[in-house]
Amino acid sequence: MLTRLKVSGFKNLVDVDVRFGPFTCIAGPNGVGKSNLFDAIRFLSALADRPLLDAALSVRDEGGKAADIRNLFHRVGETYADTMSFEAEMLIPRNAIDDLGQKAEASITFLRYSLTLAYRQGESPLALGSLELRKEELVHINRSDARKHLPFEHHRQWRESVVRGRRAGGAFISTEGEAERRVKLHQDGKGGQTVRRQAASLPRTVLSAANAAENPTVLVARKEMQSWQLLQLEPSALRQPDEFTTIAHLAMNGAHLPSTLYRVARSDNNAATNGNAHNETGAHIYGQVANRLAELIDDVHTLWIERDEKRELLTLYVQSREGTPYPARALSDGTLRFLALAVLELDPQTQGLLCLEEPENGVHPERIPAMLKLLQDIATDPGEPVGPDNPLRQVIINTHSAAVVCQVPDDCLLVAESQEYVADDRRFKRVCFNPLPETWRAESHEQGHPVAKGKLLAYLNPVSSDPPAAEDSKIIKPGSPRHHSSPARRVIDRPDVQRLLPGFSE
C-alpha cells in the first residue's frame, strides 16, 4: 500500500508530495497531469522488476509511446532536468515468495524507498540514451512514528495489523560517496556481509535483484512494488473465453476474466470441504458477483462459468431475470468492466495498488454511486484489522466527471491543478494535487493548499443538487465499519459547497 509519494523531475511532476489513503480520487481537466502521476507509480513498479532502460521504455511519453526516454524528464522549453527523484512510503505484507519459490518474511512492514536517476547521453547522436542510478535507499519507519505517517482516519487495530516487526539496525539499502557512488545492500538481521555495487554501472536497481535468502525485507518490498498496477480494462479482452490451461489471474487489460472467476469459485469450493456451507458448484461466489452486478443492471438473476469439455474453453454467462443467458461477448462495455472489478473484490490473490483511469466510462450517471461503492469495497477497510476478509488493497482513480466528483467522499478527493512555479530563474507550469478544506489531507502540511471553491464549482454546476436514492448513497467512509448505516459525507453534501449550487437559498 502506497501511503505517500514524492516526485520531482518526472514529466510535469515537480516537487509533488501526495499522501494516499485506502481510496483516493484525483479529479482534474484533460492534460493537467493526472495520468503522469499514474505513470510515475507504474515506473516505480517497473523499476522493481526490470532493467532501468526497459522500465523507462515501458512508460508512455507525451505522444502515447516511449521512443525517447529523455521525454520522461521534466522539460522547460528545450531544457531538460538533469535528474528525476522518487520517494515512496509504503506498507508491505509480512510475507512474500521470490522468483524461485522461496518464502521471505519481512522484519518490518513500514518502509521508505528513495531513488534518484540521471539521464546519460548515448555514445553517438543517434544512439538511445540510458539511465544512471545516482541514489537508492530503503529504510524503515519506526512503529512509534506510524500514526503520524498514516494521517487518514483508521482504527488502531488496523494499524497494528499492518505495521509489524521492528528494525534495530540501519538501512536495508543505502548509497555512499559522491564522485564514486556505491549502493550498499545490507543484510537482514545480525551478521552477514554488506554488498557494495558501483552505482554508475548498475543496469537495474539493487532492490529489483533482491532474493529471499539474504534480503527478505527487500524482497517483500520489491514484490509489493511489482503489484502496483494500472488497470486498463479493454472490452475486447474481457469478452474472450479462456482455455483450460490459461493462467487464472486477471490481466491489466482484463484478459482471463472467465478463468479468474472460475478459480475464485473453485477456491470457495475448497473452503466448503473445510466446513463452510457452500455447494460444490461455486454458487456462493457466483451469487455474490451476480448480486453486485445487479447494483449496476436491474435485469440480472445469476451468472456462471460454462466448461466446454470438447473445445476446452471456459465462457462467462449472465442470465437475466427472464431466464435468458447471455455470453460475455453480448454484454456492454460498462457491464464488463464492472464485472471484472466485482471479481477482483472477491479474489484473495489480488493485492497491492490498483490504479484506474476514468472508471465511470460506460456507466450511466445514475449508477455511478454503485461503481464508487464497489471501488471502495475493493480497498482495505481501515476500520477493521487486515486479514483474509479485509486484504491490504488500495485503489486510486482519476476522473474529470462531475458526477464522480459530487459522489466521492470529500476526504478522498484531490483536485489536480496547473500552477505557475519558478525554479532556477525559470517560470513554468507544474501540476499540484490539492485537497478540500477541513479534511485530513488539508490538515497535512505536505498535501498542498486546499482547493479554491471557484475551481470546485466547475465540477458541481453541471449536475443537480438532488441526492440519489438512499440505497445508492451509502458510500463507505474510510475509518468507518464497512457496513455502517450512515453514509459518508459526499462533496456535494458539504454546506460550503451547497451554497455554490444553482438554486441554493438560505
Side-chain angles (χ1 to χ4, degrees):
M1 177 176 174
L2 180 64
T3 60
R4 185 177 185 179
L5 179 63
K6 296 181 181 181
V7 186
S8 193
F10 180 84
K11 298 191 175 185
N12 73 333
L13 305 182
V14 177
D15 293 339
V16 165
D17 186 355
V18 183
R19 290 190 183 270
F20 298 102
F23 174 74
T24 302
C25 174
I26 301 172
N30 293 331
V32 73
K34 303 188 303 297
S35 295
N36 289 343
L37 187 65
F38 281 5
D39 285 342
I41 294 172
R42 291 177 61 199
F43 186 40
L44 280 173
S45 178
L47 287 168
D49 185 46
R50 311 179 192 179
L52 300 177
L53 185 58
D54 289 353
L57 293 176
S58 70
V59 180
R60 65 173 181 84
D61 64 12
E62 294 176 356
K65 53 186 178 181
D68 185 358
I69 62 174
R70 189 64 165 156
N71 290 332
L72 296 182
F73 289 79
H74 180 250
R75 181 177 65 181
V76 179
E78 297 302 320
T79 302
Y80 290 88
D82 296 327
T83 61
M84 63 173 76
S85 62
F86 306 85
E87 183 179 298
E89 294 182 4
M90 54 185 161
L91 292 165
I92 64 174
R94 193 64 188 268
N95 302 296
I97 305 295
D98 71 7
D99 298 337
L100 298 177
Q102 303 302 304
K103 183 178 179 180
E105 181 175 340
S107 59
I108 191 166
T109 60
F110 203 0
L111 303 171
R112 180 187 298 112
Y113 181 66
S114 304
L115 186 69
T116 300
L117 301 172
Y119 179 77
R120 186 159 55 192
Q121 183 66 48
E123 296 180 358
S124 68
L126 298 179
L128 187 66
S130 60
L131 293 175
E132 178 182 325
L133 196 152
R134 293 285 183 86
K135 172 188 173 183
E136 185 176 12
E137 291 183 352
L138 182 68
V139 300
H140 69 282
I141 297 173
N142 292 326
R143 293 176 63 183
S144 58
D145 296 329
R147 181 66 186 90
K148 69 180 181 181
H149 285 271
L150 300 170
F152 56 87
E153 186 179 350
H154 65 272
H155 197 281
R156 179 179 177 181
Q157 290 182 338
W158 179 87
R159 185 173 73 251
E160 291 178 346
S161 70
V162 294
V163 182
R164 302 176 64 187
R166 56 185 72 246
R167 170 80 167 173
F172 295 98
I173 301 175
S174 63
T175 303
E176 64 179 4
E178 289 296 331
E180 294 289 335
R181 294 183 180 87
R182 293 183 179 274
V183 181
K184 299 192 294 184
L185 178 61
H186 306 268
Q187 303 293 318
D188 270 354
K190 297 181 179 179
Q193 185 177 3
T194 297
V195 178
R196 292 173 172 82
R197 306 291 186 189
Q198 188 173 354
S201 61
L202 286 172
R204 61 193 306 148
T205 62
V206 169
L207 177 137
S208 68
N211 59 63
E214 299 176 347
N215 314 104
T217 303
V218 182
L219 184 278
V220 179
R222 170 193 169 195
K223 289 297 183 180
E224 165 64 22
M225 293 174 65
Q226 288 175 346
S227 73
W228 299 349
Q229 302 181 61
L230 173 61
L231 287 181
Q232 297 174 306
L233 301 176
E234 297 292 340
S236 59
L238 290 164
R239 289 189 171 94
Q240 296 300 315
D242 282 333
E243 297 179 354
F244 285 0
T245 56
T246 299
I247 297 176
H249 187 79
L250 193 71
M252 288 187 290
N253 67 348
H256 315 317
L257 176 60
S259 60
T260 302
L261 178 54
Y262 188 70
R263 170 181 56 77
V264 174
R266 286 176 61 87
S267 298
D268 194 60
N269 292 339
N270 293 336
T273 63
N274 294 325
N276 291 339
H278 306 324
N279 62 43
E280 296 182 357
T281 64
H284 175 72
I285 292 295
Y286 294 142
Q288 284 186 282
V289 177
N291 289 340
R292 177 68 82 169
L293 186 59
E295 298 176 9
L296 184 77
I297 305 173
D298 295 331
D299 190 26
V300 173
H301 179 260
T302 188
L303 57 79
W304 69 94
I305 300 297
E306 181 181 87
R307 283 178 58 95
D308 187 331
E309 300 292 345
K310 183 176 182 180
R311 296 189 298 164
E312 296 187 346
L313 289 178
L314 300 172
T315 304
L316 188 150
Y317 278 86
V318 175
Q319 181 175 301
S320 71
R321 296 188 182 277
E322 297 176 348
T324 306
Y326 296 96
R329 65 176 181 273
L331 302 179
S332 70
D333 294 359
T335 299
L336 287 167
R337 293 192 183 100
F338 191 93
L339 185 56
L341 293 173
V343 173
L344 284 180
E345 182 201 2
L346 296 177
D347 185 4
Q349 293 186 13
T350 299
Q351 302 286 336
L353 166 60
L354 301 177
C355 299
L356 293 93
E357 293 192 298
E358 302 176 6
E360 72 278 3
N361 284 346
V363 177
H364 190 278
E366 189 180 60
R367 301 300 184 181
I368 284 177
M371 172 64 82
L372 291 175
K373 184 177 186 301
L374 171 57
L375 291 170
Q376 290 174 89
D377 284 349
I378 291 174
T380 184
D381 179 2
E384 301 289 339
V386 165
D389 295 330
N390 186 31
L392 186 60
R393 291 190 298 224
Q394 182 180 23
V395 176
I396 304 175
I397 66 172
N398 70 27
T399 185
H400 50 73
S401 165
V404 171
V405 172
C406 288
Q407 300 294 336
V408 76
D410 63 352
D411 59 353
C412 296
L413 181 67
L414 286 172
V415 178
E417 301 179 77
S418 182
Q419 296 182 355
E420 284 197 351
Y421 190 72
V422 178
D424 299 328
D425 297 326
R426 291 179 176 270
R427 185 180 299 273
F428 56 88
K429 288 188 176 182
R430 62 164 186 165
V431 62
C432 296
F433 300 91
N434 297 323
L436 295 188
E438 301 175 14
T439 60
W440 67 263
R441 296 177 186 275
E443 295 171 0
S444 173
H445 297 296
E446 303 90 354
Q447 190 66 74
H449 301 290
V451 63
K453 295 177 182 178
K455 292 284 186 180
L456 192 60
L457 185 60
Y459 293 98
L460 304 179
N461 270 336
V463 300
S464 168
S465 60
D466 294 335
E471 185 64 29
D472 286 342
S473 66
K474 293 180 180 178
I475 306 300
I476 306 302
K477 182 177 182 179
S480 302
R482 176 142 286 167
H483 298 292
H484 197 280
S485 60
S486 61
R489 180 179 67 172
R490 303 163 300 158
V491 171
I492 201 172
D493 295 328
R494 294 171 59 99
D496 58 334
V497 165
Q498 291 185 344
R499 287 193 292 268
L500 304 175
L501 297 173
F504 172 80
S505 60
E506 294 285 357

